[in-house]
Amino acid sequence: MLSEFQTVSYLAAMLYHIVGQQDWVGRSIAASFGIWGIFALYQLVRRVWDEEHALVSAAVMAILPGSIFIERSFLPDPAMVALVTTSLWFAVAYCQSDRPRYLVLAGVFGTWGFLSKIPGLIVGIPALYAIWVILGRRQQRSPKKLLLIAGAAVASLIPVIAYYLWARHLSLSYPPYHFAGSGNWVWDSGLAKWLKHSYFIPHLNAQFNNWIWTAPVILLVAVGLCFPPPRRQEDKESGLNSTPHAPWLFHWWLLGGLAYYAIGAKELVTNPWNFHLINPVAAAFAAHGMIAIASSWNSSLRTPRALAIIVVFLLVIGGFGQSSLERMYRPYADQSRKLGLALDRVARPDDLVVTIATDIGDPIAIYYSRRRGWTFPPANNVGWNELPKNDDDAIQLFEELRESGADWFGVSARQTNNLWKNYSKLAQHIERTCQFHSQSKDWLIYRILSPEELKQRSLINS
């Protein structure tokens, strides 16, 4: 499965040569990008709002439940969010200061972020707003200035376009013949079908309430949206008191997120870590909500009462987050991990594997097998996260994978019981056309006979 530039994976691969393949390596890289992202958000909020909002926004981002979970997972999203937030920070800094190095850094980090994951492009919406507003307030919307910024933007996008065209070519040329995210967009299923599913709003609501934000953050974001963005206060320490800012930047970022949801709702609710891209927005608005409530008693946030209110809010967010994340860390994929390790022991380096993990559609077993291959049903199938209701359709999908060169079939114990109980025709077909290899209390492995071996077997039986 191909799409984004493998920033986290490449860094992990380099560290594997030093410390070996350990789970903590990928998580440490993601966590490092998470810390970077918090710092970048602080700098961005400091420039478009003020120092107080920057500090509280960074604190919220650090304890946001969804951020904690995603930023210690082996995923590209922490890198992408940190990089595009940094790019946005430098773009704002350039417009405020005219220092060329900021424009160069904005382009470099933007390119890296968009390569790491293409949805990062939505920060282009708040970036355009910030550029237009800040330059307008400085009376610098000259054609020369705008052309310079446009040239930098085009230069940063050229490698992104080139890379994804190349990745698309690879996804069509090599197993598992899948481009990440394909099939999950509104033009794939049609608007009418999505409306029939209420545009996946029930799934969205459950995920945001249960772990991505939780109720306290949702409430504070709503409060923050109800108040106008802060006006910069006179602050000699920050050095930014007289600099033109972009107070509505996070509103435009949220608008970009809504546009993303409009075309990719199914992709977002199916892979909810994609929502990490709007977690900086949640942190900023939640911080604004806290400060609005705290300052309703005191005009200054530096009084003990106001600080106590902020601390209480942060403790509540942390408490709800701790409770909501407990279920996220149960070892639900342990059988899948053991299945992948077993496949790693029996498969040759170039073998292709087919797996049914504890959760159908989960690629964890493929990851631990260290091989290329497919989940079953394959991800390029419309119902890839559930087995086809018809056994004949499932058999056809299995045979297509055999024709594509699949060598091994592994199933977790939980799904083995499901397969032989509810899909007996498919199970019997696997037993007839594959060779049993090994079994444990956690998994079952078959070697998939090639089309030529099946022909030989049929000749012998006849």
Side-chain angles (χ1 to χ4, degrees):
M1 182 171 67
L2 295 167
S3 67
E4 59 266 357
F5 180 78
Q6 300 297 310
T7 294
V8 176
S9 298
Y10 289 154
L11 292 173
M14 287 188 286
L15 288 174
Y16 288 162
H17 285 289
I18 302 172
V19 301
Q21 186 171 347
Q22 307 289 339
D23 288 348
W24 62 262
V25 172
R27 291 179 176 177
S28 298
I29 293 169
S32 298
F33 274 110
I35 295 169
W36 174 352
I38 292 168
F39 175 74
L41 178 64
Y42 163 78
Q43 293 290 351
L44 176 62
V45 177
R46 179 172 173 264
R47 284 189 170 272
V48 299
W49 284 354
D50 56 39
E51 184 79 18
E52 291 172 339
H53 281 82
L55 288 169
V56 181
S57 296
V60 175
M61 188 69 181
I63 63 172
L64 198 64
S67 292
I68 291 173
F69 180 79
I70 294 167
E71 289 175 354
R72 65 181 302 271
S73 301
F74 199 171
L75 293 168
D77 302 82
M80 179 265 290
V81 171
L83 292 166
V84 299
T85 305
T86 303
S87 176
L88 195 52
W89 158 30
F90 282 127
V92 170
Y94 170 73
C95 292
Q96 292 175 336
S97 67
D98 291 327
R99 294 177 182 174
R101 69 174 181 269
Y102 287 149
L103 183 60
V104 173
L105 289 170
V108 170
F109 284 110
T111 299
W112 190 8
F114 305 150
L115 286 171
S116 297
K117 201 161 186 181
I118 195 68
L121 283 168
I122 73 165
V123 301
I125 294 174
L128 287 173
Y129 158 76
I131 291 166
W132 186 256
V133 169
I134 295 173
L135 292 183
R137 289 179 175 176
R138 298 183 66 206
Q139 298 182 342
Q140 289 193 2
R141 286 186 199 152
S142 64
K144 182 179 179 181
K145 174 75 76 173
L146 295 176
L147 281 173
L148 178 62
I149 294 173
V154 170
S156 69
L157 289 175
I158 287 174
V160 177
I161 295 169
Y163 173 81
Y164 280 100
L165 289 174
W166 175 72
R168 179 66 176 169
H169 163 71
L170 292 181
S171 72
L172 297 173
S173 305
Y174 296 93
Y177 308 106
H178 177 68
F179 193 80
S182 60
N184 286 340
W185 306 93
V186 67
W187 48 81
D188 294 314
S189 304
L191 181 61
K193 189 171 183 178
W194 280 23
L195 290 173
K196 188 177 179 181
H197 287 87
S198 304
Y199 231 85
F200 307 101
I201 297 297
H203 299 281
L204 175 76
N205 180 61
Q207 287 166 348
F208 272 76
N209 270 294
N210 291 341
W211 69 278
I212 296 178
W213 288 0
T214 69
V217 178
I218 293 172
L219 180 61
L220 286 168
V221 168
V223 172
L225 282 167
C226 291
F227 286 87
R231 294 182 178 182
R232 188 181 300 282
Q233 300 295 319
E234 196 72 20
D235 187 352
K236 294 180 181 180
E237 293 180 4
S238 70
L240 296 171
N241 50 299
S242 60
T243 306
H245 59 299
W248 298 91
L249 180 139
F250 289 102
H251 295 77
W252 284 92
W253 192 336
L254 179 61
L255 181 64
L258 292 173
Y260 182 21
Y261 189 83
I263 64 171
K266 185 178 179 182
E267 169 68 12
L268 285 163
V269 298
T270 303
N271 301 300
W273 37 86
N274 285 307
F275 284 116
H276 190 47
L277 186 53
I278 62 168
N279 277 341
V281 179
F285 281 127
H288 187 39
M290 287 186 205
I291 290 173
I293 294 171
S295 60
S296 63
W297 282 279
N298 301 94
S299 58
S300 173
L301 285 179
R302 300 182 182 182
T303 63
R305 176 181 290 183
L307 291 174
I309 292 171
I310 298 294
V311 170
V312 168
F313 277 128
L314 293 174
L315 289 173
V316 170
I317 293 172
F320 269 76
Q322 176 68 23
S323 176
S324 67
L325 290 178
E326 285 181 359
R327 67 180 186 84
M328 301 293 289
Y329 287 111
R330 62 183 175 84
Y332 74 93
D334 190 48
Q335 287 185 351
S336 306
R337 181 183 68 88
K338 291 176 180 176
L339 169 61
L341 293 174
L343 286 168
D344 182 35
R345 291 192 294 269
V346 303
R348 294 173 298 184
D350 293 332
D351 284 352
L352 300 174
V353 301
V354 179
T355 65
I356 303 181
T358 305
D359 283 355
I360 294 174
D362 193 333
I364 285 179
I366 296 176
Y367 169 76
Y368 281 102
S369 75
R370 300 197 295 180
R371 304 298 188 275
R372 291 184 298 159
W374 301 263
T375 58
F376 188 82
N380 53 3
N381 184 58
V382 174
W384 62 270
N385 57 350
E386 60 182 359
L387 290 171
K389 294 181 174 59
N390 188 305
D391 280 76
D392 292 330
D393 293 337
I395 291 171
Q396 181 181 345
L397 288 173
F398 191 84
E399 288 306 307
E400 289 174 0
L401 295 179
R402 187 196 308 274
E403 292 292 332
S404 297
D407 299 291
W408 296 92
F409 177 66
V411 128
S412 68
R414 176 179 170 184
Q415 292 300 333
T416 298
N417 299 331
N418 176 43
L419 201 64
W420 263 255
K421 180 180 179 181
N422 300 314
Y423 298 88
S424 57
K425 189 174 180 181
L426 171 61
Q428 291 168 10
H429 177 79
I430 291 170
E431 289 183 330
R432 284 197 313 270
T433 63
C434 298
Q435 183 181 66
F436 171 80
H437 183 275
S438 53
Q439 185 175 13
S440 79
K441 65 182 181 64
D442 297 303
W443 46 261
L444 171 65
I445 294 177
Y446 282 90
R447 187 177 73 84
I448 300 176
L449 299 177
S450 67
E452 292 73 21
E453 288 176 309
L454 280 180
K455 288 179 183 178
Q456 284 186 332
R457 175 180 282 192
S458 62
L459 288 174
I460 292 172
N461 292 336
S462 61

